[in-house]
Amino acid sequence: MDIERRSRKVKRLASKLEKEFCRSNHVYIRYFKRDNDKYTREMTFEEWMSEAEKKYLENVFSPYDDLGLVERFMDSSPESIINKSTGDGAFSYGVCLRNPSGKIVGVAVFHGITEARVDAPKEIMTTNEEDLMSSISFFSILYETESLMENENESIRGALDEVQSESDKTSLLLKEKMAFSDILSKLESEGEFTEVAKSILGIAMKQLGFDEAALVGLDANGTKANIISECVSADVFSLSDKYHNLLKEDVPFFNGRRYTISTSNDLPEKFLHFFKTMNIKAGAFYPLYIREDASMYVQFISFTDRVIEHSEIKFMAEVTSVLQSILTRRITTNSLTSSYVTLEEILENAGCGMQVVDVEERRILYSNSIFKEMILNPKDKSEIEEILLTREDVVDQKTRFHATGTDKWYDITFSHIKWVDGRMVRLCTLYDISLLRQYQEKIEHQANTDYLTGLANRKRFELDLSLNIRRATRTGQNGAIILIGLDDFNNINDSLGHTFGDEMLRTVAETLEKIAASSATVYRIGGDEFVLLLSLSNSREMDAILHKIKEAFSSRWNVMDTECYCTASVGIAYYPIENDKSMAVFARADVALRDAKKHGKNQVSYFNASQKEASEERLSMEMALREAVDLGCNEFEVYYQPLVDISKEGYPCCGAEALVRWQSKKLGRMVMPNEFIPVAEHLGLILRIGSYVMLEAAKKCRHWNDFGHPEYKVNVNLSVSQLLQGNIVDTVEEVLSISGVNPKNLTLEVTESLAIYDIEKMTSILKDLHELGVRVALDDFGTGYSSLSYLKFLPLDVIKIDKCFVDQIGDNGFSNAFIDTVSKLANTINANVVVEGVEKKEQASVLSGMDIDMIQGYLYDKPLPQAEFEKKYVE
């Protein structure tokens, strides 16, 4: 049974019981809502009374006396019920209504007449104080149940918010669930219905991408339709004026039926005229019922062509059901029932498994159908009953239960409530979290596993190393990490290709896993670096593993039916040392590895005292760098070196190259890029630093463009990590959006060696960047493999010739010919040429005779801080 049908059923039942409750229990009720410590009288059941009956009750039970009784309740008071006798056989009881945090939200005042006066009309009902207290008791049960369901709804929404998924399908699903969770959070909102509806419609409209969403209602006479609550997108118009006092017969959908109309649908004449009048291209219209009459409609409108999908129809129906539930609850708020059937109806429609148990008697009093469907396996049923019937006080606790018979996971929560017969029982609520657990396991696996080799990754290594250090410190047992770096692995990639290189890494990973067996754990922590983490009971374990590693890397590797040699350098560090931290241990191993590579590679090096100072310096830089990035990259300063346009008279500045510097507070000095960039790449921090520099440079360029220099461009360097590990296209797109810079004024520089790292992959990435409108520059041209043929594959706007050719220009015929050839080739592919490192007037003079566009170098200016650059070249 869906939410809409269930809500209508509950509404009809509540409507019948509304009158019968008071009549059958011979009681009268008034409600007072609390808002900012002020009580206001709300709805009563008086609409079904005769005028004589109302007048008599107003004389016996003054609303002002009721208000005095109500105001006796305080948040700090433990009282839930306060009674007051008005004399002449009349009694009043105030019942406190609190939210889950204990704050009072309202008071229900129960009135009972035990002996009517002589002047009482014949309709006046009389009761006794005992029956009146029974009515109050049952009222308390229902209110506690509603509070419980509110708490559990909050728990569900909290759990859903924690779910994250990397797949597009899961992401869309979670987005929809989160939107619906936000909508569900409005169920208990206490504001005006129209305001609550507007909030819900706003969420739904944004999720579905409609242009307008509104609540349409009839006037008091039921003859004219008006928009009573509306949300519109920023760039569209409201329909309120067009709807104003529109006759009901001119609104074709106002007939109690549901309509979902796509642009492609053939429309009846009446709908065709309505859509044309309102400029509507597609829309959905769902009725809301008040006492079985469709007195309101929810509409979702598109002013552009649109096909409404099945998933959207389902979502809109669910949103309408929520609005119907809120509307019904507002109408039937605090309606009581004196029968078990009503309580059963509520529990059956709770939307989760619910069971009521008597712990003292170890007996199940009630299970709703959802609970029964969840637990069908006999073994699971026996185990969960043992949990639910345990005598331990588990109220306000959450228990996770694994149903091994069906391999399902459940969350169980417990609360105490009064049952219909007055005894205290335990209410157990069951939620199926199997899907949530699967998502969590998948996310955890992806977060801790290297995608290429299937080994645990660096993140998992750091966690495990910290645990091993604590365990070793506690037990007194030593441990070690063996850091392995493949020697000259780039040569394998360059000569045999990256596909071969990837397969080589997988083969090395499998070999290391066999060597480690049960003695150690293997991790891949970087491109060509692996780690073995082991606990040592004696030195023979280390010797045996090192012997096997040396043996494996001394032999030929057979990869993809090709034999090759690949040696490895090994750095070893032991732990624990006093007050050891995981990063300190790894830094020692890294120092040892670099020492092994320095001494000819294919070596094993142990960390020793002579390396301690270098290790501490490296560790200090790593810690300072991590802290600087975590604090928002504010310690990184962007310097700008001017680009000079030599094709124009006076050699004016035409932009700048952005260069990063690190003013480290922790290290107390300015750190140059050649010091910290390799460390940042090693730690995986370069992506955040690079994105920060790009955004700062783009914002500055936009500022220069807006303040008199629309021709200025800014060049930003891209690292290997940014291009190969991050989603650089999304990053650049976000930078353009935030900064507002003209894409043609942002130039991204890629080094020649990086551009041909994987020519096919790089071409694809650079084309995607080019499609965003940014310019692409090939930096350091001439220092790598310098094949002119691959220039035709790359979407280039700028070619930057390296300084090494400028140093010999004029004296070296090859340098002159090279620059001249590149400039002519650049013209054929419509690319600009920039010559870097110009430091002498003689060099500039020779270049002026060539077809060169721009030059850059200390002859014109060094890299300048932002303020100095702007003072010199912008103001």
Side-chain angles (χ1 to χ4, degrees):
M1 184 183 296
D2 59 28
I3 294 175
E4 184 178 355
R5 289 169 55 202
R6 185 164 62 242
S7 296
R8 290 202 297 268
K9 186 175 179 180
V10 171
K11 179 182 71 64
R12 289 194 297 269
L13 178 63
S15 180
K16 293 177 182 178
L17 290 173
E18 180 177 312
K19 176 179 178 181
E20 295 304 321
F21 178 81
C22 287
R23 285 300 191 195
S24 61
N25 288 280
H26 290 202
V27 295
Y28 300 94
I29 307 172
R30 287 188 180 127
Y31 295 91
F32 293 82
K33 178 182 176 182
R34 185 187 187 194
D35 188 9
N36 294 327
D37 294 328
K38 183 179 179 181
Y39 289 93
T40 56
R41 180 178 169 185
E42 278 203 329
M43 61 176 290
T44 73
F45 287 146
E46 295 174 359
E47 62 183 29
W48 46 264
M49 298 181 197
S50 68
E51 290 301 321
E53 198 173 1
K54 290 180 185 178
K55 184 175 181 180
Y56 180 81
L57 291 173
E58 288 289 339
N59 290 331
V60 176
F61 302 107
S62 167
Y64 297 103
D65 290 340
D66 287 352
L67 192 59
L69 172 64
V70 166
E71 290 177 345
R72 290 169 60 187
F73 287 101
M74 299 178 63
D75 287 323
S76 59
S77 172
E79 293 176 301
S80 296
I81 300 175
I82 297 177
N83 71 315
K84 177 182 179 181
S85 174
T86 61
D88 296 328
F91 292 90
S92 297
Y93 282 86
V95 180
C96 182
L97 308 179
R98 299 178 185 267
N99 64 16
S101 63
K103 183 176 179 60
I104 299 173
V105 297
V107 175
V109 178
F110 280 68
H111 296 305
I113 298 175
T114 58
E115 183 179 347
R117 297 195 310 238
V118 176
D119 62 339
K122 62 181 180 179
E123 300 98 323
I124 288 296
M125 301 179 295
T126 59
T127 183
N128 57 60
E129 194 166 0
E130 183 180 353
D131 288 344
L132 182 61
M133 289 305 296
S134 295
S135 301
I136 292 172
S137 177
F138 186 69
F139 172 85
S140 299
I141 291 176
L142 287 183
Y143 187 77
E144 289 176 8
T145 301
E146 183 180 6
S147 297
L148 170 67
M149 291 169 66
E150 179 182 359
N151 281 339
E152 295 309 324
N153 280 336
E154 286 297 326
S155 176
I156 292 172
R157 289 194 291 273
L160 287 174
D161 287 341
E162 296 174 3
V163 176
Q164 297 180 9
S165 171
E166 296 180 7
S167 71
D168 290 339
K169 182 177 179 181
T170 305
S171 177
L172 290 173
L173 176 62
L174 288 180
K175 184 180 178 182
E176 180 179 308
K177 294 298 183 186
M178 289 174 68
F180 198 69
S181 178
D182 287 343
I183 290 171
L184 286 176
S185 69
K186 311 295 182 184
L187 274 169
E188 301 300 329
S189 297
E190 295 182 0
E192 292 293 328
F193 176 70
T194 53
E195 292 302 315
V196 176
K198 184 175 182 179
S199 177
I200 290 174
L201 291 174
I203 297 169
M205 185 187 73
K206 182 178 179 182
Q207 170 65 25
L208 296 170
F210 277 94
D211 297 317
E212 190 259 14
L215 195 63
V216 182
L218 297 177
D219 62 8
N221 297 322
T223 59
K224 295 179 181 180
N226 290 284
I227 288 180
I228 58 178
S229 186
E230 184 183 39
C231 295
V232 294
S233 298
D235 55 346
V236 302
F237 56 87
S238 168
L239 291 178
S240 294
D241 291 339
K242 291 190 175 185
Y243 258 96
H244 183 63
N245 285 333
L246 193 65
L247 292 176
K248 180 182 178 183
E249 51 264 30
D250 293 333
V251 184
F253 57 79
F254 233 118
N255 54 21
R257 292 197 292 273
R258 176 188 298 181
Y259 294 91
T260 305
I261 303 173
S262 298
T263 305
S264 56
N265 291 133
D266 292 328
L267 298 179
E269 183 62 31
K270 200 169 183 179
F271 271 93
L272 193 62
H273 176 74
F274 179 80
F275 271 41
K276 186 175 180 180
T277 303
M278 299 291 178
N279 295 322
I280 297 172
K281 297 294 185 180
F285 310 90
Y286 293 80
L288 289 179
Y289 292 88
I290 300 177
R291 304 191 187 283
E292 300 186 0
D293 292 326
S295 301
M296 294 185 191
Y297 259 81
V298 177
Q299 69 176 27
F300 296 89
I301 299 299
S302 175
F303 296 118
T304 57
D305 291 348
R306 179 180 182 131
V307 175
I308 302 176
E309 305 291 345
H310 288 295
S311 59
E312 296 171 333
I313 294 173
K314 181 176 180 294
F315 188 83
M316 288 186 290
E318 291 174 342
V319 171
T320 306
S321 295
V322 171
L323 288 170
Q324 182 67 68
S325 296
I326 296 173
L327 183 60
T328 302
R329 181 174 294 184
R330 295 298 175 93
I331 296 170
T332 62
T333 294
N334 297 325
S335 293
L336 301 179
T337 175
S338 58
S339 69
Y340 174 84
V341 175
T342 304
L343 182 58
E344 182 180 28
E345 184 75 21
I346 293 171
L347 296 177
E348 281 297 326
N349 290 281
C352 55
M354 301 190 79
Q355 190 170 82
V356 180
V357 298
D358 187 325
V359 179
E360 295 300 321
E361 296 184 5
R362 288 187 58 83
R363 187 161 66 90
I364 297 171
L365 302 178
Y366 175 81
S367 296
N368 69 359
S369 56
I370 299 176
F371 188 97
K372 295 172 184 176
E373 290 169 4
M374 283 178 166
I375 309 297
L376 296 173
N377 184 275
K379 181 175 180 294
D380 297 339
K381 184 176 181 181
S382 175
E383 290 178 353
I384 199 169
E385 283 183 1
E386 189 58 36
I387 294 173
L388 302 185
L389 292 169
T390 180
R391 290 179 177 273
E392 296 178 10
D393 188 5
V394 291
V395 176
D396 297 327
Q397 293 182 15
K398 182 181 289 186
T399 299
R400 185 152 293 181
F401 172 67
H402 183 204
T404 55
T406 54
D407 195 26
K408 292 275 191 179
W409 286 87
Y410 299 99
D411 267 352
I412 311 170
T413 57
F414 305 89
S415 293
H416 282 158
I417 65 169
K418 278 187 178 182
W419 194 231
V420 290
D421 57 4
R423 58 176 155 173
M424 293 302 296
V425 294
R426 178 183 294 165
L427 178 64
C428 312
T429 311
L430 195 67
Y431 297 93
D432 187 341
I433 61 164
S434 302
L435 184 60
L436 173 63
R437 187 175 177 85
Q438 289 172 15
Y439 287 152
Q440 290 172 334
E441 289 176 350
K442 181 180 179 182
I443 292 169
E444 185 176 350
H445 176 76
Q446 291 174 342
N448 291 283
T449 304
D450 175 55
Y451 73 96
L452 179 64
T453 63
L455 296 175
N457 61 11
R458 184 187 184 99
K459 177 184 176 183
R460 185 72 257 171
F461 164 69
E462 292 178 356
L463 292 172
D464 291 348
L465 179 57
S466 295
L467 291 173
N468 279 24
I469 291 173
R470 288 199 294 269
R471 187 183 300 116
T473 303
R474 187 175 63 253
T475 62
Q477 187 179 31
N478 292 327
I481 59 174
I482 302 175
L483 180 59
I484 302 169
L486 306 188
D487 295 328
D488 300 319
F489 185 69
N490 284 339
N491 291 341
I492 292 178
N493 277 330
D494 293 339
S495 58
L496 298 176
H498 291 279
T499 301
F500 184 92
D502 289 346
E503 190 59 37
M504 179 75 193
L505 291 172
R506 281 191 282 266
T507 303
V508 170
E510 291 172 3
T511 302
L512 292 176
E513 280 194 300
K514 291 177 182 177
I515 291 172
S518 60
S519 302
T521 306
V522 186
Y523 309 82
R524 182 186 177 215
I525 61 166
D528 59 5
E529 288 189 345
F530 299 83
V531 167
L532 274 69
L533 177 62
L534 63 160
S535 299
L536 299 175
S537 56
N538 57 67
S539 59
R540 292 181 182 177
E541 292 181 67
M542 173 74 83
D543 293 340
I545 289 176
L546 285 176
H547 176 74
K548 291 177 182 178
I549 292 174
K550 290 178 182 178
E551 191 176 62
F553 284 95
S554 298
S555 306
R556 287 179 294 183
W557 296 88
N558 192 323
V559 179
M560 298 176 62
D561 298 325
T562 300
E563 292 187 341
C564 66
Y565 283 95
C566 179
T567 60
S569 299
V570 179
I572 299 172
Y574 292 99
Y575 64 84
I577 299 175
E578 186 177 358
N579 297 321
D580 235 343
K581 302 292 183 185
S582 59
M583 293 311 300
V585 179
F586 180 76
R588 296 199 294 268
D590 190 46
V591 170
L593 175 62
R594 284 187 276 119
D595 183 68
K597 288 185 178 288
K598 190 193 310 180
H599 288 84
K601 304 179 182 179
N602 196 25
Q603 303 285 326
V604 175
S605 176
Y606 293 82
F607 180 83
N608 55 53
S610 63
Q611 299 168 335
K612 186 174 187 297
E613 184 176 345
S615 172
E616 290 176 347
E617 184 178 343
R618 167 83 175 202
L619 181 59
S620 296
M621 179 171 289
E622 288 185 2
M623 294 175 65
L625 193 58
R626 287 179 186 273
E627 185 175 310
V629 172
D630 288 341
L631 292 175
C633 295
N634 293 325
E635 290 186 1
F636 297 98
E637 298 180 12
V638 183
Y639 277 52
Y640 298 92
Q641 185 173 29
L643 290 165
V644 175
D645 188 347
I646 65 172
S647 67
K648 295 181 180 178
E649 185 177 352
Y651 291 8
C653 172
C654 60
E657 179 178 358
L659 302 163
V660 64
R661 303 289 187 264
W662 177 24
Q663 185 63 52
S664 173
K665 294 180 181 178
K666 197 159 190 174
L667 299 179
R669 63 185 179 91
M670 174 74 80
V671 187
M672 300 304 287
N674 62 318
E675 287 186 78
F676 73 83
I677 292 295
V679 180
E681 290 181 331
H682 180 71
L683 297 176
L685 302 175
I686 194 65
L687 296 179
R688 293 169 66 183
I689 297 173
S691 297
Y692 173 81
V693 172
M694 186 187 302
L695 180 57
E696 290 299 305
K699 288 194 291 189
K700 278 291 114 186
C701 186
R702 168 65 189 272
H703 174 74
W704 302 336
N705 297 156
D706 291 344
F707 285 83
H709 298 279
E711 78 285 1
Y712 273 19
K713 296 176 172 56
V714 68
N715 292 21
V716 179
N717 293 283
L718 295 182
S719 69
V720 178
S721 298
Q722 283 176 283
L723 276 169
L724 299 182
Q725 296 180 21
N727 193 339
I728 186 63
V729 178
D730 290 344
T731 299
V732 174
E733 191 170 16
E734 185 177 6
V735 166
L736 293 174
S737 174
I738 295 173
S739 66
V741 71
N742 185 339
K744 295 184 183 300
N745 288 346
L746 176 62
T747 303
L748 304 177
E749 296 191 8
V750 182
T751 62
E752 178 192 351
S753 57
L754 175 58
I756 63 170
Y757 178 81
D758 183 336
I759 190 69
E760 185 175 341
K761 185 173 183 179
M762 285 300 104
T763 301
S764 175
I765 293 174
L766 295 179
K767 282 183 177 178
D768 288 342
L769 290 172
H770 213 262
E771 287 179 0
L772 296 177
V774 301
R775 290 157 49 90
V776 177
L778 187 65
D779 196 15
D780 299 339
F781 188 72
T783 61
Y785 297 90
S786 298
S787 172
L788 298 179
S789 63
Y790 64 69
L791 293 181
K792 65 182 180 181
F793 298 112
L794 300 172
L796 299 175
D797 300 284
V798 180
I799 298 174
K800 300 187 73 173
I801 298 176
D802 188 75
K803 179 180 182 298
C804 64
F805 294 97
V806 179
D807 291 341
Q808 302 176 22
I809 197 169
D811 301 326
N812 185 297
F814 176 80
S815 293
N816 290 16
F818 181 81
I819 296 175
D820 189 52
T821 300
V822 172
S823 65
K824 291 177 180 177
L825 179 60
N827 281 334
T828 65
I829 62 174
N830 296 317
N832 297 127
V833 176
V834 179
V835 178
E836 300 180 286
V838 179
E839 299 179 352
K840 301 176 182 177
K841 293 183 178 179
E842 295 78 10
Q843 295 170 339
S845 178
V846 175
L847 291 171
S848 65
M850 298 182 180
D851 195 6
I852 303 298
D853 300 291
M854 289 167 278
I855 56 179
Q856 178 182 355
Y858 275 42
L859 175 63
Y860 298 98
D861 223 329
K862 63 182 179 179
L864 300 171
Q866 170 200 314
E868 289 185 32
F869 178 86
E870 292 183 339
K871 185 175 182 180
K872 195 169 184 179
Y873 296 102
V874 179
E875 296 177 358

